[in-house]
Each structure stands twice: as structure tokens, then as C-alpha cells.
Amino acid sequence: MTQVSMTNPAPSRVVASLRGCTRRYPGVLALDNATFEVSAGEVRALLGKNGAGKSTLIRMLTGAEIPDSGTVEIDGQSLTHSGSGRAQESFEKGVRVVYQELSLVPGMTLAENLFLGRWPRKGGVIQYDKMEAEAAEAMGRLGLNLPPNRLVAGLSPAERQLLEIARVLVGKPKIVILDEPTSSLAAAEAEKVMAAVTRIASEGIAVIYVSHRMNEIRQIAHSATVMRDGRIIDTVDVKGADTREIVRLMLGSEASQNAALEDKSRSKVVLEVNSLALAPKLSSISFSLREGEVLGIAGLLGSGRTELLQAIMGVRSFDDGDILVDGRSVRSAGYKQMVKKGFGYTPESRKEEGIVPLLGVDENTLATNFSGVTKGGILSSSLMAEATRKVIDRLHIKTARTDTPIGTLSGGNQQKVVIGRWVYANSRVLLLDEPTRGVDVEAKAQIYAIIRQLAAEGRSVIFVSSEIEELPLVCDRVLVLRDGSLQEEFKSPNIDQDSVMAACITGH
């Protein structure tokens, strides 16, 4: 694994600060007397579970929110506007932010996206030569050497994230805020983003880096500010801080220890994959899954992990090989047939494929089997509420009502609903593709506990994750997918994340 070299910056001027800032919403104290500052050239990690106050702090710095009390200063100057002009005031003073949800337009060129809404003009005509030259310069600062007239649609996920960062470098920013910039990237792709962050900081630009990936934070950040319940709990030196202590600061208590994983070597085989091939990603995949086992699949982005799950689930047809359920071939089975056989699948992209944001938690949870909540062929609101409440209670989903639109829930609670959909359907084999992507440390721990509980009940799980460090926490076995086949196997309790990562990148 490539290590991003970070040295503590020399004492430098403070470029952004909050002094005693408090912000209240109806019934919620979002920020409680927060004092915070970051210096030029510093990379500061901002940590905390969902609802800790991170987003409110960021919105204070960008001018999107005004504190009820306290002051916000950018490069020694207070933000003074009290209306919609405050965000523009912050922008003009040098504050830039890249949010988790990318905002690029696929049908436009790289240069057009970098200058979106502020294209250079002369006499009312867009100056394409100037725009492309400045775009090339901004991208070059991050090592993104691509033709500025290329369409965004052809970029990889990492290249799109780098382009978003390059966009905020146009002009003269003093501070760049990155909100989960690698949450949708595998480790090798994330390295490119982290290298870009190092370049930005080396130019004297302050960086606030929001992430739930502790290994990543240790590589990229000089210090970390931990928030909880709207308060800044502490700011620690990342190099000397113990991960368990940081998690304790985030949660307010000791993180629960994972129960010892049980040996599943003698249990019944429920799924067999034999010599499965699916061009161009998979050439020869063979493995078995046992009842009550959690099997991890590790591999770099693009290694074929998602395609493998989709082939098993009947979402994608494969070229050769066979899949057996309880010893019988299901080669020609489609998605509906696999659901009937007790299989459930949570897709990698929760927001695009896993939920219907405007529908309620109930409709999203019960979508696999509405027949159980009908009377005379008509959906019963009382039966729907009762069935949904059982799943909510079991998976500890935080929602005031069963019919609350799922799009208003946090990412972690949305993901628990997606998993809960298959719990409600009583699925016995769960195929989980990146089930903890974009969720906070508390929600991750809850999802791990849910998975282990389901395994204890005899359900089998295939767990795909780009975050290698979480595989030892939840898996009985881990298989490494590389160069189209499964190359290595690790068994609990000997699943070492460094060895798994090395196995993933060998040959690349």
C-alpha cells in the first residue's frame, strides 16, 4: 500500500476559525459553543458520527449558515453578511468545498465543468482557449493530466473526484473542505485523491478532510478534530493517537468488542460457484458458502466483485461455469427465481439502485413481499406499519414514523432499511455489496452487529467491501479477487488487513 508522506506543518497563520459558535434548530442544538481553527498548509481531519455537528460546522465556514452566537473568521476577517450574500462573501475570502455527492455534468467537457456557471467571456463570447488552458493548469496541480476537451462521461470514479477537487482550485482558495472524497472509491483509487490532498496542502492551502476511514486519516491528516452531539470534544495529533481512543471520543463510550467468530467449517454448503466466467472481468471463479457463514470478497475497484454478486443473483448472465444452490444448478435462474430461493441482494449504489427516496420506510422495506401486508388484494396501512415496525425495532433504524420518506434518513439508517428488506423477506443468503459505504462509525458498528446476528441465526452472507480494515471485524473467511479469479483465502482469526491489501494489489 502506498504511504502518503505527511509531516506536521510549521506553525502558520490561521486561515479559518470559529469562536464560540452556537446554532440551534427547532428541538436540536446542532452546534454548541464551538471553537475551531485550521492553519495554512494543514490537513485537519473532522470526525464524528452522523448528527455530531460536522455539517453545521462546515456550513458555518461556507457562509451557508449563520451562528446564533459567536463569530466566523476567514484569513483574519469576520464574515459580516447576515443574508444570502454571506455564502458569496465566504467564497470571495477563499473558502471552497467539495461535497460527497458529485455535481459534474457528464455531457460537458472537463474544462466546461471546471468553469461551470462562470465561463470566461469576451464580448459575450466564451473564451474556450483560455478556459481550456486554465483547466489544464488546475488539473495539472493534482496530477490529473487529461485533455480538457474530453467529456466527463468517460472518466473513472477517481478521475471524477479529482476533477471536482480541481474545480475548487480555480482562483485562489485559502481553505478547501473535502466531504468524504473517497467514500465511493476502492483503496488504490483513493490513493490518487490522497496524493492530490498532499499537493494542495504543500501549496499552503488549508484542508479540512471529512472521512470515516481511519487508515486513510492516518495517512493524510496532521491532526483530527472529534465532534459529538454538536460539541468539539478534542483535537488530537493523528500520528500519536490510538484508534480505539478516537472511536471512544466519537461515541462517548468504549466501542463494543466483536464476539469471537465461530468456526463454520462443518456446516451445510448452501451455495457453490464452479468455474464461473463473465468477460471481461471474471475468468474462473470457484468457491462455496456455508450456512451461517460470513464470507468476505476483497479486491480493487474494477476487479469484478459487483459483477460476481450480480451473476449469483441472476441480475447478470455469465458466459461459462455453474452456480448451485443446495446442490442443484441454478444456471438459468433469473432475479425473481433467486429471490424465491431465499437470496437477497443489496446493490453498491444505495441511492441510485437501493432505495426509492420519495417513498416511505415502509414501502422500501416491504417491497420484496407486499402480499403479506394486504387485505382482499389491497395494501393495508395497519399491516404495513406493523410489519415495518418489527424491522425498525430489530435493526435499530432511527425514524419517527414507519412512513417517513426514506430519503430524509441518514445514510446509515437508509442502509439498514435496505438490509431490513431482505430480513423481512426471510432471505437465507444475503449478497451485500459495500453495505457500509458512506455511513458513520456508529452505523458501521451497528451493521456489523446486524450481520453477525443474522449469521448466528443460520443465514449466510457474502460481504463485499473496499474498506479492507472492516473485513476482519465481520467475516469468517475472506477471498481475494484479482486478475479474474480468486487468488488467496484468509480465515478468522488470521485475517490480517495488511496481508489482504497486499494480496489485492499483487500484479498491479
Side-chain angles (χ1 to χ4, degrees):
M1 185 174 183
T2 303
Q3 293 294 315
V4 181
S5 178
M6 297 296 295
T7 57
N8 286 317
S12 185
R13 77 183 193 282
V14 173
V15 295
S17 66
L18 277 69
R19 306 291 182 196
C21 287
T22 296
R23 184 71 171 99
R24 292 181 175 85
Y25 302 107
V28 177
L29 181 58
L31 207 60
D32 184 6
N33 193 32
T35 294
F36 170 91
E37 63 181 34
V38 61
S39 300
E42 179 184 5
V43 179
R44 173 72 62 83
L46 187 59
L47 308 177
K49 62 184 183 181
N50 287 345
K54 303 189 302 293
S55 296
T56 304
L57 185 147
I58 290 171
R59 289 170 66 81
M60 291 284 181
L61 291 171
T62 63
E65 293 282 356
I66 301 172
D68 298 324
S69 60
T71 59
V72 180
E73 294 184 356
I74 307 299
D75 208 18
Q77 298 180 329
S78 296
L79 297 183
T80 58
H81 281 65
S82 58
S84 58
R86 191 179 180 93
Q88 182 62 29
E89 180 187 17
S90 173
F91 184 89
E92 291 173 355
K93 291 184 185 299
V95 178
R96 304 289 189 273
V97 60
V98 178
Y99 291 106
Q100 184 176 356
E101 300 298 327
L102 302 185
S103 57
L104 301 173
V105 181
M108 288 185 171
T109 67
L110 277 61
E112 288 169 335
N113 271 277
L114 255 64
F115 287 86
L116 194 62
R118 45 194 173 94
W119 296 314
R121 299 174 185 269
K122 186 174 182 180
V125 178
I126 297 175
Q127 297 176 284
Y128 278 96
D129 289 345
K130 179 180 180 180
M131 182 169 67
E132 292 183 357
E134 291 186 16
E137 189 273 334
M139 291 188 294
R141 289 164 69 182
L142 301 182
L144 189 62
N145 300 310
L146 297 171
N149 60 355
R150 179 177 173 180
L151 291 180
V152 164
L155 299 185
S156 70
E159 289 170 337
R160 293 190 183 204
Q161 185 66 71
L162 288 171
L163 186 63
E164 285 274 12
I165 298 173
R167 176 193 285 176
V168 302
L169 295 183
V170 175
K172 297 182 178 180
K174 294 183 175 66
I175 177 171
V176 171
I177 303 167
L178 303 176
D179 185 10
E180 294 280 2
T182 62
S183 64
S184 61
L185 305 179
E189 298 291 296
E191 294 286 347
K192 299 175 184 178
V193 174
M194 291 190 286
V197 172
T198 303
R199 293 191 187 199
I200 294 171
S202 70
E203 296 181 10
I205 299 171
V207 178
I208 295 178
Y209 193 87
V210 180
S211 178
H212 297 303
R213 295 181 171 184
M214 291 304 302
N215 283 4
E216 191 174 287
I217 288 165
R218 288 196 178 281
Q219 293 184 67
I220 200 68
H222 303 111
S223 56
T225 294
V226 181
M227 299 189 69
R228 187 176 75 242
D229 300 329
R231 300 176 58 207
I232 291 178
I233 303 302
D234 201 359
T235 296
V236 299
D237 177 72
V238 169
K239 187 175 181 180
D242 179 71
T243 299
R244 185 169 296 179
E245 174 62 15
I246 292 176
V247 172
R248 188 192 67 78
L249 292 171
M250 294 169 66
L251 299 182
S253 60
E254 292 290 345
S256 60
Q257 300 296 313
N258 292 288
L261 305 185
E262 299 177 12
D263 181 8
K264 300 296 178 183
S265 59
R266 298 181 182 178
S267 58
K268 171 187 173 183
V269 172
V270 295
L271 172 70
E272 295 175 77
V273 176
N274 296 324
S275 302
L276 186 144
L278 198 169
K281 295 291 182 69
L282 307 175
S283 57
S284 180
I285 302 293
S286 297
F287 69 92
S288 62
L289 177 69
R290 296 180 180 275
E291 188 176 75
E293 180 181 31
V294 180
L295 175 65
I297 304 290
L300 301 180
L301 186 72
S303 61
R305 302 166 308 175
T306 294
E307 289 82 356
L308 175 58
L309 293 191
Q310 291 177 340
I312 295 171
M313 194 63 197
V315 174
R316 185 187 291 258
S317 59
F318 48 95
D319 305 319
D320 199 7
D322 201 4
I323 296 174
L324 288 77
V325 175
D326 299 327
R328 296 183 179 181
S329 175
V330 293
R331 177 177 173 82
S332 60
Y335 178 83
K336 289 184 178 179
Q337 288 75 25
M338 293 305 290
V339 170
K340 289 180 179 179
K341 291 182 181 295
F343 280 62
Y345 169 62
T346 68
E348 178 181 14
S349 178
R350 176 179 66 247
K351 290 190 175 180
E352 294 179 7
E353 300 175 29
I355 64 171
V356 182
L358 297 180
L359 294 184
V361 172
D362 51 3
E363 293 166 300
N364 276 275
T365 301
L366 309 177
T368 50
N369 183 16
F370 279 125
S371 62
V373 289
T374 60
K375 286 182 179 180
I378 299 174
L379 286 174
S380 166
S381 58
S382 61
L383 290 178
M384 289 177 66
E386 180 182 356
T388 305
R389 179 54 61 186
K390 289 180 180 178
V391 175
I392 288 172
D393 291 343
R394 178 170 181 184
L395 274 59
H396 306 291
I397 299 167
K398 294 181 180 179
T399 176
R401 296 169 53 93
T402 59
D403 59 356
T404 298
I406 193 173
T408 64
L409 272 57
S410 69
N413 284 301
Q414 289 179 7
Q415 189 63 60
K416 284 189 279 186
V417 171
V418 175
I419 296 173
R421 175 182 302 154
W422 300 110
V423 173
Y424 165 72
N426 202 30
S427 301
R428 59 194 182 102
V429 179
L430 299 180
L431 312 179
L432 309 182
D433 196 352
E434 300 283 6
T436 65
R437 171 172 291 173
V439 307
D440 66 33
V441 65
E442 182 182 43
K444 284 185 179 183
Q446 292 171 346
I447 290 172
Y448 300 154
I450 289 168
I451 291 171
R452 291 311 313 176
Q453 180 59 42
L454 293 173
E457 295 171 2
R459 305 188 203 221
S460 306
V461 178
I462 297 181
F463 183 94
V464 165
S465 176
S466 298
E467 298 187 41
I468 302 299
E469 62 268 24
E470 69 182 358
L471 295 175
L473 301 177
V474 72
C475 297
D476 300 294
R477 283 192 299 146
V478 173
L479 302 177
V480 175
L481 178 56
R482 190 184 73 242
D483 299 330
S485 63
L486 295 171
Q487 302 279 355
E488 295 190 45
E489 178 184 71
F490 299 84
K491 294 182 179 180
S492 178
N494 301 311
I495 303 174
D496 176 72
Q497 66 182 55
D498 291 337
S499 298
V500 174
M501 174 57 72
C504 287
I505 65 178
T506 298
H508 288 264

